[in-house]
Amino acid sequence: MPLLAKEVLPISSKDILSWCFENRSAFPQDKPIYADCADPRRSISAGQAYKLVRRLVAGLRAFGIKKGDCVCVHAFNDIYYPVLVQGIVGAGAVFVGTNPGYTDFELQHALKVSHAKLIITEDELVGTLLKAGRDVDISPSQVLLFADQDQSPLRSWRSLLQHGEQDWVSFDDENLSKSTTAFLMFSSGTTGLPKAAQVTHHNLIAQHTILYDNPRHPEAFEDRRIYPMPAFHIATAGVLHFSPLRAGFASFVMRRFELEPWLENTEKFGVTLMVLAPPLVVATLALARQKPNFVRHCLRNVKRAVCGAAPLDRTTQLEFQKFLPVDCPCTQGWGMTEASGVGSFFYYPESDETGSVGRWLPNIDTKLVDDHGLEVGPYNARGELCIRGPTVIKGYLDNPEANRRDWDSDGFFHTGDVLYGDEKSGRFYVVDRKKELIKVRAFQVAPSEIEGVLLLHPQIVDAAVIGVPNGNGELPKAFVVLSAGSKVLEEDLKAWVASRLSKYKHLEGGVQFVDAVPKSPSGKILKRQLRDEEVSRRREAKL
């Protein structure tokens, strides 16, 4: 039997903007909700956002944007990024966020899939964008600059603000809320090109309601957050673009992630809630080996730290905990684009020292299945996580094959993540991605376990492990980033792992030293890229 939600909260059937702005009396509307870390004088209050949204709605309509059209923001973080998103959604259109690091091939795919009618981008990204746009019939007239001034032949996005104010598209209908797409978020998945996940108004409202409007878990401290991770990704977009309008969260925006400035800003702006990805934790710990007092000082105001986007080794989590204030819990959560961000975590102030991703949130049904789709558990067994609930996306855009494959007849989305549930505590644990498990003889090896052991080594900055072919099976191979000046050899690291893990988990596939481990913007290790490179390397070696 599936594990049904133990608690069900009512979810509004309104459009996301009406739902956000109906709460305007809950906090001062002149309070800044977005501030620029580089220049705090640049800020936007909820009241200013309200007027800007109405002006953007009028401007987008004057530009020719209609209900259901896609508008792409191809830019780095800025305080006006979420306001653009709010205006796009308010006009009845769909926000498409793309990675500023995309090649023209990757960007072309995103523009083609989304059929974007307008793209807002930065000067330094225009070249790649126009090159990609030519191949999908996007002309310069469909491009606006995310800058204050026009730069011929391109006009500034601020030209959209010159058409007065208009009401946003509003509704109070459950079917409309569930069917109306607000975001198209590109999900890398495990096969093929990224798929366009359709995140609805209902998804976004449910996500906020479950996380922040649960009456059983009222706010225990002022929520002040910093956003170093990209605004196009669900890990940031699911909160940054609308939750401050609803709840008045103070949100401090960094253009790009830089380690020491991020930590300095965390202290400077009194950040109380840290949302982390594993690379941020690993990088902070590497810096803490050199500057422990600096790191502790920068984290002194933090009340709660939550890590997600990818599994974090328990030992690494506990090591990071040492640099946080005494009463500040550091916990993990599980989420993905298809779940609108978060599906499980620990409500404050619960702590965890086991490496769990917590318990399932209200309104979320789950089950674990084996390789044949048969249920196991839901506790005391390992299986692929399947999830159902109001935060699960309505499907992938124009991809019926993936929709048939990834949703079953009972409405559960098959995540590809392998989890284990402990019945006594109710806590769940990520074992690994289903397609990333390494099959060594009769055993299945979780790369994250070996990665965790490698990261314990004092001279390792980062590491990733994949399976490489060996007869009818695979062997674990590590890709390792060493600290500056390290003299560690491959055999040293093989011995390090061999002294800590069972024989079938040894690095018999080898160790390769690299300058960096490839990762997605949310911090997930790009295992597929490593595997593809390994295949190419082996093919060339045979020639």
Side-chain angles (χ1 to χ4, degrees), residues 24 31 81 140 152 165 169-170 172 196 208 228 239 245 248 299 353 359 372-373 415 431 460 480 484 502 505:
R24 296 178 75 194
K31 168 190 173 184
Y81 194 124
S152 182
E165 295 184 18
V169 175
S170 62
D172 190 353
H208 179 101
V239 180
L245 291 182
L299 302 181
E353 297 182 349
R359 303 177 186 86
H372 303 289
T415 67
V431 176
I460 290 181
V480 172
S502 301
K505 299 176 184 177

Side-chain angles (χ1 to χ4, degrees), residues 316-374:
T316 308
Q317 176 184 337
L318 295 178
E319 185 65 23
F320 185 77
Q321 178 80 66
K322 296 175 183 177
F323 292 91
L324 293 168
V326 174
D327 296 326
C328 173
C330 176
T331 57
Q332 296 190 58
W334 174 90
M336 65 190 314
T337 302
E338 289 82 354
S340 304
V342 185
S344 74
F345 78 164
F346 290 92
Y347 278 111
Y348 182 85
E350 186 176 5
S351 60
D352 174 65
E353 297 182 349
T354 68
S356 168
V357 292
R359 303 177 186 86
W360 302 114
L361 293 171
N363 301 55
I364 302 296
D365 301 333
T366 63
K367 63 181 179 180
L368 301 181
V369 300
D370 63 18
D371 290 341
H372 303 289
L374 301 176

Side-chain angles (χ1 to χ4, degrees), residues 106-121:
E106 293 167 316
L107 187 54
Q108 181 189 126
H109 170 70
L111 297 176
K112 183 177 181 180
V113 170
S114 65
H115 307 287
K117 298 293 191 294
L118 168 65
I119 303 97
I120 300 171
T121 190

Side-chain angles (χ1 to χ4, degrees), residues 187-364:
S187 174
S188 56
T190 56
T191 58
L193 291 167
K195 301 181 288 292
Q198 301 174 96
V199 182
T200 68
H201 288 245
H202 193 73
N203 292 151
L204 294 170
I205 292 172
Q207 181 82 151
H208 179 101
T209 300
I210 292 167
L211 290 174
Y212 310 117
D213 284 355
N214 188 334
R216 293 183 57 202
H217 300 277
E219 184 179 274
F221 53 83
E222 183 186 2
D223 195 316
R224 299 173 66 83
R225 306 185 186 203
I226 188 167
Y227 291 90
M229 294 191 288
F232 67 83
H233 193 278
I234 193 66
T236 296
V239 180
L240 177 65
H241 299 327
F242 287 104
S243 288
L245 291 182
R246 171 75 181 185
F249 297 156
S251 305
F252 301 94
V253 181
M254 292 183 68
R255 177 171 167 79
R256 302 181 188 179
F257 172 73
E258 295 179 78
L259 179 59
E260 293 198 32
W262 166 62
L263 290 168
E264 290 167 346
N265 287 328
T266 296
E267 191 279 329
K268 177 180 178 180
F269 297 110
V271 170
T272 57
L273 197 159
M274 292 188 81
V275 179
L276 305 154
L280 274 67
V281 176
V282 171
T284 302
L285 289 176
L287 180 64
R289 293 169 188 161
Q290 305 168 28
K291 302 179 178 180
N293 293 334
F294 169 76
V295 171
R296 285 194 179 89
H297 175 75
C298 290
L299 302 181
R300 66 191 180 96
N301 298 312
V302 179
K303 304 289 186 185
R304 181 185 182 196
V306 180
C307 188
L312 181 68
D313 176 72
R314 169 182 173 271
T315 307
T316 308
Q317 176 184 337
L318 295 178
E319 185 65 23
F320 185 77
Q321 178 80 66
K322 296 175 183 177
F323 292 91
L324 293 168
V326 174
D327 296 326
C328 173
C330 176
T331 57
Q332 296 190 58
W334 174 90
M336 65 190 314
T337 302
E338 289 82 354
S340 304
V342 185
S344 74
F345 78 164
F346 290 92
Y347 278 111
Y348 182 85
E350 186 176 5
S351 60
D352 174 65
E353 297 182 349
T354 68
S356 168
V357 292
R359 303 177 186 86
W360 302 114
L361 293 171
N363 301 55
I364 302 296

Side-chain angles (χ1 to χ4, degrees), residues 438 447 450-451 454 463-467 476-479 507 525 527 530:
I438 303 169
I450 306 175
E451 289 160 1
L454 287 167
V465 174
I466 64 169
K477 176 176 179 177
F479 296 80
L507 294 173
I525 298 173
K527 299 287 181 73
L530 290 174

Side-chain angles (χ1 to χ4, degrees), residues 242 369 457 497 501 517:
F242 287 104
V369 300
H457 195 287
V497 171
L501 295 176
V517 171

